[in-house]
Amino acid sequence: MDRWQAITAFGLGILTLIGLVSLLGRWGYDDPYITFRYARNLLAGHGFVYNPGQRTLSTTAPLYALLLAGLNSLWADPAGHRLPLLSNALSAAALLGSAALLLAWALRRGQKATGMIAALLLSLFPLLLTTFGAESCLYLLLILAGFYAYDRACLKLAALALALAAMVRPDGLVAGGALALYHLPRCLRPAERNLAALWPPMGLYAALLGVWYGGLWLYFGTPLPVTLLVKQQQGEMAISTRFGAGFVDLVRQFGRQPLYWLHGALAGIGLGRVVLRDRHWALLLLWTALYFLAYTLLRVSRYFWYYAPLVPAFVLLVAEGMVALLRLPARLRLPQAVSTGLTGLSLIILIAPLLMGTVEAGWRPDPRLEVYREIGQWLATHTPPQATVGALEVGIIGYYAQRPMVDFAGLIQPDVARRFISTTTYQESAAWAIQHYRPDYLLLHGDSFAAVAESDWFQADYLAVRQFTNRSSLWLTLYRRRTGP
């Protein structure tokens, strides 16, 4: 890529970044707000905790929370009110950085067309864009940076990037394992064996992770977030869908949209090309396969952001297949006009569903965001600072309420999650949490918790004080403990 091409690519990247932030700057869903609250409490001087005074590691991405707190300190926003917008902007920048790394990796291997198509698809893939606000895009950026550095034989840089990925999210350890397995055959070849060169990057990787997870262990009493336990326990519930079955449902969901059929067909062709000739992509595919296997074996419940790390390998295979398709007219010796027309039509069909999904995500945000923000702000204004609040989803509400929260899903109180078995329902977990922790205020979703709200013990202890609606539908009812504040 020459100088002017680099300048053009940089300019397009900046325009894309501005477009993504403008379209999805206010996008949000519940789980990232748990991480935002850790950052906000740290900024407020309450410590690196969710509930002040309770050292429970309830965020999957503690390093991301620290990064947000550090970046936010550069703004005139000491209370952390702009953390969601900051995180969305960081997600957009990280996503474009990931696309740039795929392009650079492809250029290094002489595959300019493959890199450009893969970078374009990655930048527009709805499954990634809807994770904005969470750590997913930064997590992918670090893993791709590690793999690209390894491809360039920069082993220490690869170790640093992959260690940071595992510090952002524990499942980043799978990427380090994938690289070790990929490099193992080289270590067995006498001509390429250089074990002395491996010790410095391995030592750097081990030292960084040792210090990080040792620090988490000392501070929280465990090196791993309680979310792993919670998601595994949720996976045991009959009302939940596990990761593997959820992936099948996701494929069916995309399959119901005809324009995505081309993506699947091209990915199949691309896989054949990688196996037969472009084997330098094997590391990315190996990590993707191990990631999928790990989540399946862990038997966790499905959440859409768990599937986001599968996207880079998929778009790469689609790009490989697309390049093969674009070369077909020349091999068939078709006229140039016909070849150009087929190329343009194929690209339009390829990109159209991604653009539609991107625009839909920007125009149709999660409806819970608005009503949960309203509830949190109401609680912050109308309840005592130490009043405890119980709810099923505590991310957005807890971030804006800044009140001690009791979580019916067990993310904040692991004792709740430990009670999950195959026959457990969220009504039962809510009933146990309410009777055990006796929150001062409760938020119950419409008819979903009718059995709890209509029980004699509940009506004796709690009084409905307000209803919150989203447009025309009833969402939550707020209850206050009769002997509470």
Side-chain angles (χ1 to χ4, degrees), residues 145-359:
F147 291 167
Y148 177 58
Y150 173 80
D151 193 66
R152 296 193 54 162
C154 301
L155 299 185
K156 290 182 181 178
L157 187 58
L160 173 62
L162 294 180
L164 289 173
M167 291 159 66
V168 168
R169 240 170 55 184
D171 57 5
L173 293 168
V174 177
L179 180 57
L181 287 176
Y182 183 79
H183 189 77
L184 182 61
R186 293 189 178 186
C187 296
L188 299 178
R189 299 171 187 167
E192 299 184 26
R193 186 179 301 169
N194 186 7
L195 297 179
L198 295 179
W199 289 115
M202 290 173 58
L204 175 63
Y205 184 80
L208 288 173
L209 293 185
V211 171
W212 174 251
Y213 284 105
L216 292 179
W217 203 331
L218 290 174
Y219 189 84
F220 292 104
T222 175
L224 298 176
V226 299
T227 48
L228 175 60
L229 165 68
V230 173
K231 304 309 182 185
Q232 285 180 311
Q233 293 296 108
Q234 288 178 350
E236 296 296 324
M237 299 168 65
I239 60 175
S240 296
T241 302
R242 291 198 179 102
F243 177 84
F247 176 76
V248 175
D249 291 342
L250 183 67
V251 172
R252 289 174 178 170
Q253 177 184 340
F254 280 99
R256 287 193 290 268
Q257 306 176 54
L259 291 179
Y260 276 110
W261 295 352
L262 178 60
H263 292 75
L266 291 176
I269 297 172
L271 180 60
R273 283 172 58 89
V274 171
V275 171
L276 294 176
R277 47 169 290 179
D278 297 332
R279 296 177 182 174
H280 48 270
W281 299 118
L283 174 57
L284 179 59
L285 298 188
L286 175 62
W287 165 65
T288 305
L290 291 178
Y291 174 92
F292 184 89
L293 179 63
Y295 268 71
T296 302
L297 294 178
L298 286 173
R299 300 168 63 86
V300 296
S301 57
R302 70 167 179 188
Y303 287 90
F304 73 88
W305 55 89
Y306 288 173
Y307 304 104
L310 305 177
V311 173
F314 178 73
V315 298
L316 175 68
L317 293 179
V318 173
E320 285 272 6
M322 187 65 181
V323 169
L325 181 65
L326 295 179
R327 291 175 178 171
L328 189 60
R331 292 179 179 178
L332 297 177
R333 298 182 180 180
L334 297 178
Q336 183 63 36
V338 175
S339 177
T340 303
L342 289 175
T343 298
L345 180 61
S346 300
L347 288 174
I348 290 173
I349 295 175
L350 196 66
I351 296 172
L354 305 185
L355 286 174
M356 292 167 59
T358 300
V359 173

Side-chain angles (χ1 to χ4, degrees), residues 344-406:
L345 180 61
S346 300
L347 288 174
I348 290 173
I349 295 175
L350 196 66
I351 296 172
L354 305 185
L355 286 174
M356 292 167 59
T358 300
V359 173
E360 183 178 5
W363 285 356
R364 296 182 181 179
D366 190 329
R368 292 173 293 183
L369 180 60
E370 180 181 347
V371 67
Y372 282 2
R373 183 193 298 119
E374 177 191 352
I375 293 170
Q377 292 172 342
W378 189 93
L379 290 168
T381 304
H382 296 92
T383 63
Q386 296 305 317
T388 54
V389 180
L392 179 61
E393 295 180 301
V394 300
I396 299 170
I397 294 172
Y399 173 78
Y400 286 102
Q402 286 298 293
R403 297 293 183 268
M405 303 296 294
V406 175

Side-chain angles (χ1 to χ4, degrees), residues 79-100:
H81 295 295
R82 298 177 185 174
L83 284 170
L85 176 59
L86 172 63
S87 187
N88 282 359
L90 182 58
S91 294
L95 178 59
L96 294 182
S98 299

Side-chain angles (χ1 to χ4, degrees), residues 436-456:
H436 185 76
Y437 293 103
R438 293 180 57 81
D440 299 314
Y441 292 86
L442 292 173
L443 288 157
L444 300 182
H445 291 72
D447 297 332
S448 301
F449 292 90
V452 176
E454 294 171 3
S455 62
D456 293 337

Side-chain angles (χ1 to χ4, degrees), residues 120-142:
L120 179 61
L121 297 180
L122 189 71
S123 302
L124 297 175
F125 211 91
L127 190 57
L128 276 176
L129 296 176
T130 51
T131 67
F132 272 26
E135 75 287 346
S136 301
C137 291
L138 178 63
Y139 169 80
L140 287 179
L141 173 66
L142 291 170

